[in-house]
């Protein structure tokens, strides 16, 4: 497929995909699940990131991509972490090429995020978030909640015990809306 043809196809399908990706689960004061089982993923910095690293912390898990229309959310995700980190929030980015919008190497992703958005939040290596090769907590999310990212920048909020308390689609803004209100409620 030539690049102009691919761009036209994407221009026709992105609004439909975006509408599907914007769905969110209702947020309640109670957790939607029991605690997630332990998991680990390779860090983009080297070494491992594991669920044990976040014991007692509120975690916002986000499947991300550098070449997506929602990529500017990185700025708000960093601002959210900067605002709430001292009270116990960790925003964890999981770059993924499942929707064919990620750069080709971990180094390119790391450089792009640091240079473009000044990201300091923890980030895994490029990982699968859908299908049988999904990494980290994603297989458990699919099995337990039926939550599978339908596009980039889907968000899952875990309380300090590792229980899911909310999920949001791509269009949910990290700052000033439901997500920040949920973070605030958990950290107050």
């Amino acid at each position: 497929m030539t690049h102009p043809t691919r761009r036209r196809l994407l221009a026709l399908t992105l609004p439909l995909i975006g509408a599907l990706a914007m769905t969110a689960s209702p947020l309640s004061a109670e957790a939607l699940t029991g605690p997630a089982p332990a998991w680990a993923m390779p860090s983009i910095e080297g070494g491992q990131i594991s669920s044990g690293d976040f014991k007692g912390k509120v975690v916002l898990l986000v499947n991300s991509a550098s070449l997506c229309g929602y990529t500017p959310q990185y700025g708000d995700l960093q601002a959210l972490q900067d605002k709430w980190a001292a009270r116990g929030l960790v925003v964890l980015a999981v770059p993924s090429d499942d929707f064919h919008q990620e750069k080709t190497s971990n180094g390119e992703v790391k450089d792009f995020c640091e240079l473009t958005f000044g990201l300091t939040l923890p980030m895994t290596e490029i990982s699968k978030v859908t299908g049988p090769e999904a990494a980290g907590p994603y297989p458990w999310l699919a099995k337990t909640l039926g939550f599978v990212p339908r596009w980039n920048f889907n968000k899952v909020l875990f309380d300090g015990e590792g229980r899911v308390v909310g999920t949001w689609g791509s269009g949910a803004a990290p700052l000033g809306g439901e997500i920040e209100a949920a973070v605030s409620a958990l950290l107050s």
Side-chain angles (χ1 to χ4, degrees):
M1 189 179 290
T2 65
H3 287 289
T5 304
R6 184 174 182 200
R7 282 190 202 110
R8 280 194 299 268
L9 179 60
L10 283 173
L12 293 171
T13 58
L14 285 179
L16 174 60
I17 292 169
L20 289 172
M22 290 179 65
T23 60
S25 73
L27 187 65
S28 69
E30 295 181 25
L32 302 175
T33 66
W39 54 267
M41 298 175 76
S43 169
I44 205 162
E45 299 286 338
Q48 292 283 311
I49 294 175
S50 76
S51 54
D53 298 336
F54 309 122
K55 226 173 202 23
K57 296 191 181 265
V58 171
V59 176
L60 182 65
L61 178 74
V62 183
N63 67 300
S64 58
S66 302
L67 306 173
C68 179
Y70 291 106
T71 301
Q73 284 188 16
Y74 269 138
D76 286 346
L77 291 166
Q78 182 66 54
L80 185 70
Q81 173 149 320
D82 291 346
K83 182 175 180 178
W84 293 97
R87 303 223 3 228
L89 175 68
V90 175
V91 176
L92 175 60
V94 180
S96 178
D97 195 37
D98 284 9
F99 306 105
H100 312 290
Q101 294 193 315
E102 188 51 272
K103 293 186 176 284
T104 56
S105 76
N106 292 311
E108 287 178 304
V109 172
K110 184 177 182 298
D111 290 347
F112 170 78
C113 290
E114 287 175 355
L115 296 172
T116 308
F117 298 100
L119 287 192
T120 60
L121 51 93
M123 183 176 283
T124 69
E125 289 185 351
I126 299 169
S127 302
K128 300 287 283 171
V129 297
T130 64
E133 296 176 16
Y138 287 100
W140 177 81
L141 289 166
K143 182 179 178 184
T144 305
L145 282 178
F147 178 84
V148 177
R150 294 188 214 163
W151 196 243
N152 305 307
F153 290 89
N154 280 219
K155 299 145 192 98
V156 180
L157 185 64
F158 293 88
D159 70 9
E161 301 298 318
R163 296 177 300 237
V164 174
V165 294
T167 63
W168 295 269
S170 305
L175 285 174
E178 274 188 27
I179 295 172
E180 188 171 16
V183 167
S184 174
L186 289 170
L187 296 175
S188 294

